[in-house]
Amino acid sequence: MKVYAIYILNKAGGLIYQNDINPGLNKLSANDYLVLAGTIHGVHAIASKLKPTEFEPSSKPFGGEKEIPIESSATFSSSISVRDSTINNDVVNGRWNNPNTNNTGLRSIETDLFNVYVFQSLTGIKFILITSPNPIVHNVASLNLKINKGELNRQFDLAKEIFHNIYVTYSDYVMKDPFYSLEMPIKNNLFDSKIRELAK
Amino acid sequence: MSEEEIILPSIASGVKSLTVNDRPMHEFGYNPSLGPHSNEITESSLNILLNRKTISLTPTSTHSIYDRNILGTKKHELSISSLSFLFGEVVSWSHRSSKGIQDLENRLNGLGYKIGQRTLELVKLRERFKNTKREIRLVEMLQFIHSTLWKALFGESANELERSQDINNEYMITDNCPLMAKFINIPKDYGNLNCSALTAGIIEGALDSAGFYAHVSAHSVPTDYMPQRTVFLIKVEEEVLIREDLRGGPMN
């Protein structure tokens, strides 16, 4: 998996950090990046409303992934997965309709050309990762080829790991910097180099 | 006892109904209608005082570093996060009240100076049995700071201790990754500010109270792999060098 870019959005959906690590994406104008960030922020919010607010835990099978295949007229097909791990874990804990988690909303968008992963911290900061597409495409499933479920999820798990590391680096090098003011754009060479290191 | 209502000066209207006959629960505590008399320790209130059981809402461990013996050989450790947040607040507090970058560095240096004076005492106290001698030569003193003091403060000794070749009163201690300023990124418009000025102040305080008068400053000398590399430049006063000469010339 190749990481193309890492974005960080603040609570209000403003782009506060942008790092194009590997070439592979078209350059946009500064304004368009802000629009892109705002759009993802909005889609994330809508997606978190898409899940059923109440359901019977017994009637639903465990495994909280709803795949919505999108038939698009564009040259690539895509599938958006709204992962809802509240279904997975919290049914067991009896907290399955607690909205007070960061587990709802848009988690990943997988297309033939690129993948987008979104991670929201409990404080509302969003980390967005744009990577190369899955080596095994979702479409293969329709060709009746046998693929392990783990194969498809491998990249998602990898992204999760990167998010974890980014979050740690963010808490260290951004939050502990006395010259940084909250919710403002991050201009930090030290943070830049650390992010570059871990996304290689 | 009259049934007249007593005017209570400092009590809000809601408690107006309090009368002389009202005693607080458990017969204990100040009753404004009785005055100082209510605070007298009687047999029942003494009982309450002695058997009082309270639950602290702020749990404090009795094994915190403050409760340990000051001479203890156990490692005194604390989390780097709390240190960084404290230091970050120190920096922004000094920054708020400073007039410029130089002023900010001076303030940090001044704060460190006091820490240095105290740390020297503490480190010397803790190594009392191992090494009872007092450093009287400059190089020995610098080696003590470079290794022992640094280890006590930051857990490991500094990276290099050098002597300037051109100017004979300059010495340099290099730290490749200064612990205090580990997470601090200096914005571009702050020029050559280095927050390790506090550490420089610690060195200066320790040297001064040991009788080696010097001026210490911190300078960033980044390399590719060590962006935080800091050199502490120690400028020793002339009188110290004269004293060194009297004791048999510079030691090498």
Side-chain angles (χ1 to χ4, degrees):
Chain A
M1 183 177 74
K2 199 168 160 190
V3 178
Y4 291 143
I6 291 171
Y7 304 133
I8 299 177
L9 313 189
N10 65 11
K11 280 170 210 153
L15 186 69
I16 55 169
Y17 182 77
Q18 176 189 4
N19 195 344
D20 295 316
I21 289 157
N22 287 311
L25 295 177
N26 286 336
K27 285 263 177 290
L28 297 176
S29 72
N31 233 354
D32 284 346
Y33 278 117
L34 292 176
V35 172
L36 174 73
T39 309
I40 294 179
H41 183 74
V43 171
H44 184 275
I46 293 166
S48 64
K49 296 286 172 202
L50 276 180
K51 65 148 191 154
T53 48
E54 297 223 8
F55 56 87
E56 300 301 315
S58 54
S59 67
K60 284 267 176 182
F62 282 2
E65 189 176 340
K66 298 186 292 288
E67 295 247 325
I68 310 161
I70 293 177
E71 297 299 328
S72 65
S73 55
T75 52
F76 60 89
S77 67
S78 64
S79 75
I80 297 176
S81 69
V82 182
R83 273 164 201 268
D84 197 348
S85 51
T86 50
I87 299 172
N88 262 337
N89 308 323
D90 295 343
V91 168
V92 184
N93 300 337
R95 296 186 286 123
W96 47 275
N97 53 5
N98 182 5
N100 203 8
T101 64
N102 62 341
N103 287 332
T104 56
L106 181 72
R107 292 299 203 81
S108 65
I109 302 172
E110 297 180 353
T111 75
D112 288 352
L113 300 177
F114 62 89
N115 284 1
V116 179
Y117 298 97
V118 182
F119 166 73
Q120 189 183 26
S121 78
L122 277 175
T123 48
I125 292 153
K126 279 187 196 67
F127 299 89
I128 292 161
L129 205 59
I130 301 181
T131 70
S132 56
N134 278 353
I136 301 163
V137 201
H138 273 278
N139 286 359
V140 181
S142 61
L143 298 174
N144 287 333
L145 284 173
K146 287 220 168 177
I147 307 163
N148 278 337
K149 189 89 173 104
E151 285 292 304
L152 291 174
N153 276 339
R154 183 181 289 164
Q155 193 157 330
F156 185 82
D157 293 338
L158 253 165
K160 223 159 101 181
E161 202 175 295
I162 293 178
F163 279 137
H164 177 81
N165 292 333
I166 294 174
Y167 198 14
V168 168
T169 313
Y170 173 83
S171 326
D172 270 350
Y173 288 91
V174 180
M175 296 330 271
K176 286 174 190 164
D177 182 3
F179 297 101
Y180 175 70
S181 40
L182 224 62
E183 307 274 310
M184 295 305 277
I186 302 165
K187 286 172 192 146
N188 191 326
N189 293 332
L190 215 57
F191 182 61
D192 270 354
S193 60
K194 293 283 167 193
I195 288 286
R196 218 167 272 277
E197 234 168 70
L198 67 88
K200 254 172 197 167
Chain B
M1 203 55 69
S2 70
E3 289 297 303
E4 262 176 54
E5 212 172 285
I6 293 170
I7 300 160
L8 303 166
S10 60
I11 286 182
S13 53
V15 241
K16 228 185 231 165
S17 53
L18 207 68
T19 67
V20 182
N21 298 322
D22 285 329
R23 303 299 302 268
M25 257 207 302
H26 312 305
E27 303 277 316
F28 183 68
Y30 186 76
N31 186 341
S33 59
L34 285 182
H37 177 65
S38 64
N39 259 1
E40 259 175 26
I41 293 176
T42 61
E43 205 169 310
S44 60
S45 64
L46 186 72
N47 215 18
I48 293 165
L49 268 180
L50 288 177
N51 297 322
R52 189 162 57 170
K53 283 186 187 127
T54 57
I55 300 158
S56 173
L57 292 176
T58 50
T60 47
S61 158
T62 50
H63 301 292
S64 82
I65 52 170
Y66 304 109
D67 299 314
R68 278 194 223 142
N69 187 352
I70 197 167
L71 296 171
T73 47
K74 212 173 164 189
K75 254 191 174 178
H76 293 69
E77 284 184 339
L78 54 100
S79 126
I80 187 167
S81 294
S82 52
L83 178 77
S84 303
F85 282 125
L86 178 68
F87 184 56
E89 197 47 46
V90 165
V91 170
S92 56
W93 172 72
S94 313
H95 183 218
R96 240 175 285 137
S97 49
S98 69
K99 291 183 198 80
I101 291 162
Q102 192 55 48
D103 190 31
L104 170 59
E105 277 199 355
N106 286 344
R107 276 164 193 273
L108 289 173
N109 196 295
L111 288 171
Y113 192 89
K114 290 179 185 171
I115 301 172
Q117 289 174 321
R118 288 156 174 77
T119 312
L120 178 71
E121 213 73 65
L122 182 67
V123 172
K124 274 293 170 193
L125 178 72
R126 280 199 181 136
E127 65 162 19
R128 66 209 182 283
F129 296 125
K130 271 187 286 175
N131 188 3
T132 46
K133 86 178 193 328
R134 177 170 72 97
E135 277 79 13
I136 54 168
R137 301 303 300 265
L138 179 61
V139 174
E140 280 178 9
M141 184 62 200
L142 288 173
Q143 275 165 354
F144 165 78
I145 287 183
H146 167 266
S147 50
T148 316
L149 188 82
W150 223 265
K151 238 178 225 160
L153 284 170
F154 307 123
E156 54 183 14
S157 49
N159 293 88
E160 285 155 50
L161 172 62
E162 293 163 305
R163 183 181 168 183
S164 168
Q165 296 226 313
D166 315 318
I167 309 158
N168 71 339
N169 72 335
E170 281 188 0
Y171 292 83
M172 284 164 289
I173 292 177
T174 311
D175 197 335
N176 287 343
C177 185
L179 189 77
M180 297 289 274
K182 193 180 177 194
F183 300 121
I184 294 180
N185 176 67
I186 306 296
K188 279 196 188 76
D189 45 341
Y190 280 79
N192 49 9
L193 167 72
N194 191 322
C195 290
S196 291
L198 188 109
T199 314
I202 294 177
I203 303 171
E204 193 172 327
L207 278 174
D208 273 12
S209 62
F212 297 90
Y213 305 106
H215 182 77
V216 186
S217 52
H219 305 273
S220 318
V221 187
T223 64
D224 282 351
Y225 295 103
M226 295 169 282
Q228 299 284 67
R229 189 162 172 267
T230 300
V231 172
F232 299 97
L233 185 66
I234 301 163
K235 278 188 183 163
V236 188
E237 299 273 319
E238 204 56 46
E239 56 193 272
V240 176
L241 291 178
I242 294 168
R243 193 176 66 201
E244 283 291 299
D245 281 340
L246 290 175
R247 281 176 181 154
M251 247 179 53
N252 282 310

